[in-house]
Amino acid sequence: MIAHFGDSRFGRWARSRLQPAPRIIGSAFGALLWVASSTALHGQTVSDAVPAIPADDPGTGTQDTIEIADLTRQSDREIAAGLADIFAQIDGLSDVDVSVRSGVVTLTGSVAGQADREQAAQIAGRIAGVVTVENAIERTFEVDTNLSAATGALRDDARSLVRSLPLLGVALLVALLVGGAGYLLAGQKWFWNRVAPNPFLAELLAGAIRFMAIIAALIIALQILDAVTLLGLVLGSAGIIGIALGFAVRDTVDNYVSSLMLSLRQPFRANDHVLIDDLEGRVIRLTSRATVLMTLDGNHLRIPNATVFKANILNYTRNPQRRFDFDLGVDSADDPLGAIAVGLAAIRSLAFVLEQPRSFAVIHTVGESSIVLRFFAWVDQRATDFLKGRSLAIQAAKRALEEAGYELPEPIYRIRVDDRSKLLHPNDKKRDGAPRSARASAVEGDHAEPERAVENLVSEERGATRERDLLDTDRPIE
């Protein structure tokens, strides 16, 4: 009876199910078989323990139940037939052979390209009931096959291009209209010069309008052509290229931004006498790239605007009143306050020295053999040359001190062996403790007039070239 049970259809089904199952399931089913056999030995039939399986209906000629093995083979046949029909409808896959066993699809044959090989595997993997796909398709390298495929692709692309020519023309027309409108708006210089505070910023705004018009025209054209994916690729590539170019031209960008900031907040005017770090001269012009100076010896000096923007700028022209100072030494035995009075009287007697702010002097240092006095005085640079005025003031103070009997120190050493009264200078007259009246030298006003050679050269050059720059007297100055 057990042998009969094992040869029955249910027994064959059980073996087919247990063969791939885990051991524990096989053990459980073995125990079930043992119970069934024990029940049969006690007088019960298998049909009493297991539900009956209907037999074939002779009247209809159909089979009500199908063996699992038959069902698997039938599914494999259906999958193979379906894939063969699908491949027959696709160009390039007609030579692909399909075999299916237990849900495993094996693809063989040859195709013209790698894309066709991958497409066949993707189609087979999407069929219901397929466990896995073994792709054994080989790519053929026959010249006629590959050439015909490439020719066919080119032919299809040409047909698509011809069909899309009207739409392409519309997209091109719209792009030209948008771009042309942007360029027309950017070309209205009178408008941008009125809106922007200076010509440099006006040109910058006009350039930005042109760039935005080009981008807008490109976006609209690609949207009309339904090439949004291409648009994303173009914009992404443009972003990457922009970052790379930004790192490559960062110095140029820094200089450009510095030019913009200098044009908005101008630290100097044309022909101002400035000191930029250690570079001195008069300003000729401020361009979009550099600041052009004329040095005091008449040479042109171009300084990048990025350097000017970050530099320490000293403007001598901004305030016409300027103070000079100089040092004079007297003997350590002399009265320093009396020497100060004599020197200040000589300085204040000069016509170009301003009464306000008032001149003054201080004891700067006291050395072993001399007392150094420092004098301060103010001049108006519009009427007096700074260097000439300082030079004349030094001359006047020195002469006044010498005539008053004060001894200016010399780089010599003296050994005193007797009373100081016996070692007086031969040209000195005995002092009575009070300073003599200072006699300032008469100085004509034209001796200290400003040196205007460089200033005149700058004015002539600006008038001759008539080149517009970023210096604007209507803009605020820092």
Side-chain angles (χ1 to χ4, degrees), residues 211 234-250 253:
F211 179 76
V234 171
L235 293 180
S237 302
I240 295 174
I241 294 174
I243 294 174
L245 290 177
F247 280 104
V249 298
R250 57 184 177 181
V253 174

Side-chain angles (χ1 to χ4, degrees), residues 315-338:
N315 193 331
Y316 293 113
T317 309
R318 182 73 180 276
N319 184 12
Q321 295 179 348
R322 185 177 175 185
R323 190 185 74 179
F324 63 83
D325 62 84
F326 60 89
D327 295 338
L328 285 178
V330 295
D331 193 89
S332 59
D334 290 335
D335 179 15
L337 297 180

Side-chain angles (χ1 to χ4, degrees), residues 92-107:
L93 301 182
S94 58
D95 293 336
V96 176
D97 298 327
V98 182
S99 62
V100 183
R101 184 172 183 179
S102 299
V104 178
V105 178
T106 302
L107 303 178

Side-chain angles (χ1 to χ4, degrees), residues 332-375:
S332 59
D334 290 335
D335 179 15
L337 297 180
I340 288 177
V342 173
L344 287 178
I347 293 173
R348 291 170 183 171
S349 66
L350 299 175
F352 57 83
V353 175
L354 301 180
E355 295 183 359
Q356 294 294 334
R358 193 166 179 80
S359 306
F360 66 97
V362 296
I363 300 175
H364 181 53
T365 56
V366 177
E368 296 181 356
S369 60
S370 64
I371 300 175
V372 179
L373 308 179
R374 179 163 292 180
F375 295 88

